[in-house]
Amino acid sequence: MASPTPELINALRRTVQSLKNGAPYQWGHMGGCNCGNLAQELTKLTKDQIHQYAMQRHGDWNEQAEDYCSTSQMPIDLLINEMLNAGLMLEDLKHLERLDDRQILGRFPIEKRFLRHNVREDVMAYMNAWAELLEEQLLAKITLPALQDIEFA
């Protein structure tokens, strides 16, 4: 599971807002699919640039994650590296493309856990749930000094 970073949480929320506002969504387009829309927010590349980079190698996001090489200078690997630097793991890319991370799906009522990976509204719901989960994890890491430990002037 991704590291709960403010950058990733905000990117997930911006992606949802962008999709809600009518951003192009096409599951079969590497720059306009689930991962592609998040990649746009994390990298500031356009959907067409992302698609062009991905087409330099074979496969969908799952296969791109499988073939990822951190030392490669291929544009898609540099793009994925930027996404990993924001807190994502390679497995997150695979799960996002299929909307199938069990931890995220567990946040939905049982009858709503069967999300369709190529439906905009389901992608938005998944990303919202993911952002909420990451935010909870981030907040759980924050410890404040106890009031009795604070010296007042």
Side-chain angles (χ1 to χ4, degrees), residues 56-93:
Q56 293 177 18
R57 193 165 57 205
H58 73 282
D60 61 12
W61 277 97
N62 186 59
E63 291 167 307
Q64 297 287 358
E66 288 290 330
D67 294 341
Y68 167 75
C69 175
S70 63
T71 58
S72 162
Q73 292 300 306
M74 287 192 73
I76 189 65
D77 287 334
L78 296 173
L79 181 151
I80 290 173
N81 193 55
E82 200 169 334
M83 295 175 78
L84 299 179
N85 287 338
L88 289 168
M89 309 277 289
L90 290 172
E91 291 301 312
D92 295 318
L93 299 177

